[in-house]
Amino acid sequence: MVEQARAEEEAGAEEEAGAAEAGAAEAGQDNSVAVRRDLAVRAAVEQGLLTEADPVVALLDVAGIRASAAALHAAFAAVTAPDTRVLHAFAVKAAPLVPVLRLLDAERVGAEVASPGELGLARAAGIPPDRTVLDSPAKTPAELRDALTSGIAVNADNPQELTRLDALLHAAPTRSPIGLRVNPQTGGGSIGALSTATATSKFGVALRDEGARAWVVRAYLDRPWLTRLHTHSGSQGVPLALMAEGVRTVHELAEEINAAAGRQQIDTIDIGGGLPVNFSSDEETPTYAEYARLLKSTVPGLFDGRYGLVTEFGRSLLAKHGTVLARVEYAKSAGGRPIAVTHAGVQIATRTVYDPESWPLRIAAYDADGRPKKGPAVVQDVAGPACFAGDVLATGRPLPLLEQGDLVAALDTGAYYFANHYAYNSLARPGVYGFTAATTATATGTGTGAGKASSVRFATVRAPQTVAEIVAESGGGHPDALVRD
């Protein structure tokens, strides 16, 4: 499946992968994004991806992903000294799909993993150990041994993990770079559940707790093999200035440790990821260039060439390039408000359903042929298929009136949506398809869907889950396990 995906996406995407498009995407001015999306929606209908048996599919814009990767590289290259060692590692949790990881690897983006499963995906994608970073607050001895044997970089989370590493390194040396994660305790953003630099965050060593800073310095002086320092204080809802302040705090700590050691013991700083995403339009903002420039002005010593850099962006690389497309099964009304009942709900957009204020999604309306729906805006709800009242993608949303057989598209869903399935009602995981679309010669305008849907090529990233697979993973092979005498 990986080889198929790679071959097909490479066959038709060279035009979209050019530097001009990457620069336009970074500036939020790439009109072809909406055009490609509209072409892909129509092609998904014409080419039979969306069917009665599979009434919801997920689409990934290969050209958009490549453009984001190029923008990330360019942004940090613009602010770092020549020959600075920089590893951009994709946070696998954002899109745990092997063909996606393989595509990013081809774009010189490695992998940040936080579980044996994520590491397995990175390995299946062919990402080498020296471009893989293991982060997790609960690593087992087996996970650590595996990483150290393989030469994978490890960021320890706490004093107990350092003690565990002491014993493992005593038993067997390693070539793995090893660091320690610290929590700068610089504060949270607008989404509490995603704020990792609060006073009581579960991640890392709380740097402002009494005695913690001195303990960290001593821990490094006692362990010459500790050569990295790690923080991750950004995520959706966290202002860029607060993210930069966390990085500044960790850079100051690295300078303090190196001064105490009398040498540059810390040679690499892992600044994490967490660039927030704009979910209100096609514009990609804030940009990597904005963030890199802010970091340069806030922490100039980070970019003078003395330190290698690691980043761990996830959502910002993929979110804008994913679309969930679902059929309207029924159109009804309640209390005078129209309701479109679709096949995309909590199983895909779990965060949106349970916390719509923090995770609103843009919804686009299409007719049954996959063309943008026309007509006056009507306030209506877009509901999912699950059996509870809160399974609603959008409430009171003005859209052309949706009818039975129409299609709805949940936009900006390339990260943390269709790849992180919620198996409520035993609803199936949707098929995921990467697409390339030659828009330059065939399409004009913005979001019009002009051009030829036949120019769109799909590659299977993940096949739709079958009922038989749902039964198998739900104990179908052991039906009598609880009724035997």
Side-chain angles (χ1 to χ4, degrees):
M1 183 183 298
V2 176
E3 288 73 18
Q4 174 196 0
R6 196 171 193 183
E8 290 203 40
E9 57 88 1
E10 286 178 353
E14 291 307 314
E15 287 186 31
E16 292 84 273
E21 177 161 316
E26 179 69 5
Q29 299 170 350
D30 183 8
N31 291 342
S32 67
V33 171
V35 174
R36 288 199 305 268
R37 181 172 61 234
D38 285 351
L39 287 175
V41 169
R42 193 158 86 250
V45 175
E46 293 179 1
Q47 297 182 34
L49 296 188
L50 197 71
T51 66
E52 185 175 311
D54 296 307
V56 56
V57 298
L59 309 176
L60 278 172
D61 182 352
V62 172
I65 296 171
R66 284 178 162 165
S68 285
L72 173 59
H73 285 296
F76 278 81
V79 298
T80 52
D83 300 322
T84 299
R85 294 172 292 105
V86 180
L87 169 63
H88 297 297
F90 174 67
V92 173
K93 64 182 73 68
L97 297 164
V98 170
V100 169
L101 303 183
R102 175 71 69 87
L103 172 62
L104 289 170
D105 179 59
E107 299 302 316
R108 298 179 294 119
V109 177
E112 182 267 332
V113 301
S115 71
E118 289 184 358
L119 178 54
L121 297 178
R123 284 170 165 161
I127 299 175
D130 63 356
R131 301 196 325 113
T132 304
V133 180
L134 174 62
D135 293 319
S136 164
K139 306 178 198 71
T140 66
E143 288 177 70
L144 290 171
R145 276 192 294 269
D146 184 13
L148 296 175
T149 300
S150 303
I152 291 168
V154 175
N155 286 321
D157 180 82
N158 55 69
Q160 293 171 58
E161 188 173 342
L162 275 187
T163 300
R164 183 171 282 174
L165 285 166
D166 285 335
L168 291 171
L169 292 176
H170 180 75
T174 180
R175 65 182 185 278
S176 293
I178 302 175
L180 176 68
R181 178 170 182 169
V182 297
N183 170 13
Q185 294 177 295
T186 45
S190 61
I191 305 175
L194 295 189
S195 297
T196 57
T198 60
T200 57
S201 171
K202 74 177 186 179
F203 294 103
V205 176
L207 195 56
R208 296 183 183 178
D209 282 11
E210 184 177 357
R213 191 181 190 96
W215 179 88
V216 170
V217 174
R218 185 74 257 166
Y220 274 82
L221 298 181
D222 290 344
R223 297 170 175 83
W225 43 264
L226 272 179
T227 59
R228 292 188 173 188
L229 194 60
H230 171 48
T231 190
H232 175 80
S233 54
S235 198
Q236 193 67 20
V238 177
L240 295 192
L242 199 60
M243 293 170 59
E245 177 62 18
V247 175
R248 184 189 65 79
T249 300
V250 171
H251 174 261
E252 290 177 349
L253 178 60
E255 297 278 84
E256 180 180 343
I257 291 169
N258 285 341
R263 61 187 181 88
Q264 187 166 359
Q265 179 172 339
I266 296 177
D267 59 25
T268 301
I269 297 179
D270 184 335
I271 65 171
L275 191 71
V277 168
N278 162 37
F279 285 100
S280 62
S281 74
D282 279 330
E283 184 180 7
E284 293 191 40
T285 181
T287 66
Y288 292 120
E290 289 176 71
Y291 183 44
R293 288 192 296 266
L294 177 62
L295 287 173
K296 175 76 170 181
S297 64
T298 305
V299 201
L302 183 63
F303 300 97
D304 62 11
R306 290 180 299 128
Y307 291 100
L309 292 176
V310 177
T311 73
E312 300 174 357
F313 295 103
R315 180 181 292 106
S316 55
L317 277 166
L318 265 292
K320 305 299 289 184
H321 311 306
T323 300
V324 171
L325 186 63
R327 192 176 70 237
V328 176
E329 195 65 45
Y330 298 110
K332 55 193 291 188
S333 66
R337 178 180 291 176
I339 304 172
V341 180
T342 80
H343 290 274
V346 72
Q347 87 279 24
I348 290 168
T350 313
R351 285 173 168 171
T352 294
V353 167
Y354 285 119
D355 188 6
E357 296 300 318
S358 298
W359 301 99
L361 281 178
R362 291 189 294 148
I363 303 295
Y366 295 85
D367 64 22
D369 294 324
R371 298 179 181 274
K373 180 95 174 178
K374 300 185 183 302
V378 176
V379 174
Q380 56 197 296
D381 293 350
V382 179
C387 290
F388 73 99
D391 186 28
V392 178
L393 282 187
T395 301
R397 191 70 60 88
L399 295 165
L401 185 62
L402 291 163
E403 302 170 288
Q404 186 177 27
D406 284 343
L407 309 174
V408 297
L411 310 184
D412 308 326
T413 47
Y416 293 104
Y417 278 89
F418 50 76
N420 295 3
H421 189 70
Y422 180 51
Y424 196 95
N425 280 150
S426 295
L427 292 165
R429 290 188 294 272
V432 181
Y433 303 91
F435 71 86
T436 57
T439 62
T440 305
T442 61
T444 58
T446 303
T448 63
K452 297 180 180 179
S454 60
S455 70
V456 177
R457 300 187 64 180
F458 291 105
T460 300
V461 174
R462 184 185 68 198
Q465 188 181 29
T466 67
V467 172
E469 289 169 336
I470 294 173
V471 172
E473 72 177 22
S474 301
H478 314 281
D480 297 326
L482 303 180
V483 295
R484 293 174 179 151
D485 293 333

